[in-house]
Amino acid sequence: MQEFKKPLISLIVTCHNLGKYLPECIKSIENQSYKNFEIIIVDDFSDAGTKEVIEKNYKNKNVISKFFNTSDIRVIETGKNEGQMGAFLTGLKVSRGEFVCMIDADDVLLEDYLSVLLQAHMRVSVAFVSAAQMEIDENSTIHCLNSVASPAFKNCGGVYKKLEADEIFNTDFEDFEVKKITNRECPFGAWCWNPSTSAMMRRSALEFLFLFKNVERYKTGADKFIFSFLHLIGSSATVSRPLFAYRRHGGNCSGTNPVMGDFRYLKPESVDRLIKWNKNLHFDTLDFIIKNYSYFCARLNSMNTKKLIFKIIFSFNFLTIKKALKALLYKFC
């Protein structure tokens, strides 16, 4: 039988002032059951405490450079705070993997994270795959094994057998469902996935973003733009199995307070971000495609490029509009 190579996966860990949580994140990557990966830490102009953690644990002190190497971890330092989008693209430019994950430094991966997401990619041809999530707090205490923040696979109840105390926290889920999501099911601008760390993305789809210049608009919420864009050009899929632990510590950019990932508990600043992201997304994506029209035509042909533009202009999703209206209501109440 022909011996094929296993794809390399690049894990780009974006870190801004999250040194307290970074070692646990990196350890969870090193413990993956799938071993063909590289780790790239992007230190996005962090505070002294975070720099000390990175210096002590991950830098090769013999190299005086912007770019550092250890045996299996590379560290890049930014000259200013570029934000989530800028930091991710900085890491992407030096990554080598056929598949790429954008990891938040305060999250923790379960050991089958890479293998399950890669298996999903091998079964469905999409631009990216997003997994369900667990919830932990700042002390890594488990609060929920399958979060209500997972939009495609909400826990709707069921019949359960009583478990022994230790079995309650078992994260070794054997069965999972992979569901392909088309642009018809999830129109442009809608949200059908979990945050940054949930996803494994195809490099061939991400390469379009090397031309994206408006990174300042997405210092937070980069996953909103990236996932929406990738879904537009190549569809997506969701995996029902929780594969990472999303840490709620009160300073999360993505939305809610430490209680739970429910829209009802959005913090005021999160409401403002939600309104801003939905307002900017259509314009920024149209602007991106039009300014790079010849490149898109060369990659996708002119007819498909025009289709992308029409999908953006005429996209309509009642749930997204409803959420935006609710956000405005919460803002002024």
Side-chain angles (χ1 to χ4, degrees):
M1 181 179 174
Q2 173 69 44
E3 288 290 328
F4 295 107
K5 294 180 180 179
K6 294 179 180 178
L8 176 69
I9 303 171
S10 298
L11 294 108
I12 300 171
V13 182
T14 58
C15 182
H16 175 65
N17 299 344
L18 292 171
K20 175 182 177 181
Y21 306 115
L22 182 61
E24 190 175 357
C25 175
I26 297 300
K27 183 179 179 181
S28 73
I29 296 174
E30 293 175 330
N31 289 338
Q32 289 297 297
S33 57
Y34 184 84
K35 298 298 184 183
N36 193 25
F37 61 83
E38 64 175 358
I39 303 172
I40 300 169
I41 300 173
V42 183
D43 175 14
D44 190 22
F45 210 64
S46 294
D47 56 27
T50 297
K51 287 188 178 297
E52 183 179 355
V53 170
I54 294 174
E55 181 80 31
K56 179 179 178 181
N57 295 288
Y58 309 116
K59 272 188 187 175
N60 181 344
K61 300 184 182 68
N62 298 320
V63 180
I64 308 300
S65 173
K66 181 182 178 183
F67 193 82
F68 299 85
N69 293 287
T70 65
S71 58
D72 57 355
I73 298 175
R74 287 181 284 172
V75 177
I76 304 175
E77 292 179 317
T78 60
K80 63 177 183 177
N81 178 224
E82 296 183 351
Q84 190 181 29
M85 176 72 87
F88 173 68
L89 291 180
T90 296
L92 183 64
K93 288 171 184 174
V94 301
S95 66
R96 299 169 295 150
E98 290 82 16
F99 294 91
V100 180
C101 300
M102 178 170 60
I103 308 297
D104 289 334
D106 50 353
D107 291 339
V108 180
L109 310 186
L110 300 188
E111 66 177 13
D112 289 331
Y113 171 91
L114 292 180
S115 60
V116 172
L117 287 178
L118 187 59
Q119 180 180 334
H121 269 292
M122 296 298 107
R123 295 292 184 265
V124 293
S125 183
V126 292
F128 76 99
V129 176
S130 172
Q133 69 186 41
M134 295 169 49
E135 301 261 349
I136 59 175
D137 64 19
E138 63 271 21
N139 300 311
S140 299
T141 302
I142 297 176
H143 282 238
C144 181
L145 287 176
N146 200 336
S147 171
V148 296
S150 299
F153 292 94
K154 291 181 183 289
N155 240 353
C156 297
V159 177
Y160 304 99
K161 67 177 182 179
K162 191 180 82 168
L163 301 174
E164 297 298 323
D166 289 341
E167 293 178 309
I168 294 172
F169 304 101
N170 179 30
T171 58
D172 186 20
F173 306 96
E174 292 294 333
D175 299 324
F176 57 92
E177 179 184 353
V178 179
K179 179 184 177 183
K180 184 174 181 178
I181 302 174
T182 66
N183 280 280
R184 184 181 295 275
E185 295 169 304
C186 183
F188 183 79
W191 180 260
C192 303
W193 316 283
N194 276 316
S196 312
T197 304
S198 73
M200 180 182 288
M201 301 166 277
R202 289 186 183 272
R203 183 184 190 84
S204 55
L206 281 170
E207 285 174 347
F208 285 86
L209 296 177
F210 286 136
L211 299 175
F212 186 70
K213 305 300 182 185
N214 205 4
V215 296
E216 287 289 323
R217 297 257 269 196
Y218 297 93
K219 282 197 160 189
T220 59
D223 50 357
K224 174 71 173 177
F225 181 87
I226 294 172
F227 291 2
S228 297
F229 174 75
L230 294 183
H231 180 67
L232 175 71
I233 66 171
S235 298
S236 62
T238 53
V239 175
S240 62
R241 176 175 168 178
L243 293 174
F244 76 106
Y246 182 85
R247 190 189 301 274
R248 297 198 181 277
H249 47 67
N252 308 84
C253 290
S254 65
T256 57
N257 64 21
V259 177
M260 61 182 68
D262 193 297
F263 185 84
R264 292 171 297 171
Y265 300 105
L266 282 174
K267 296 179 290 186
E269 60 269 27
S270 299
V271 172
D272 290 337
R273 276 195 293 263
L274 180 65
I275 295 169
K276 182 183 74 173
W277 289 338
N278 281 292
K279 182 177 69 174
N280 292 343
L281 181 63
H282 284 71
F283 174 81
D284 290 342
T285 310
L286 275 175
D287 182 64
F288 175 46
I289 294 174
I290 291 169
K291 283 183 176 176
N292 299 282
Y293 187 76
S294 59
Y295 176 81
F296 276 81
C297 288
R299 290 286 304 269
L300 303 174
N301 77 48
S302 60
M303 180 170 288
N304 283 327
T305 302
K306 289 184 177 72
K307 284 182 179 179
L308 296 184
I309 293 172
F310 288 136
K311 282 180 181 178
I312 297 168
I313 294 173
F314 296 107
S315 62
F316 177 83
N317 180 256
F318 177 74
L319 290 177
T320 302
I321 294 173
K322 180 180 177 182
K323 185 174 284 191
L325 290 173
K326 285 174 68 177
L328 283 169
L329 179 64
Y330 291 156
K331 179 179 174 63
F332 294 112
C333 285

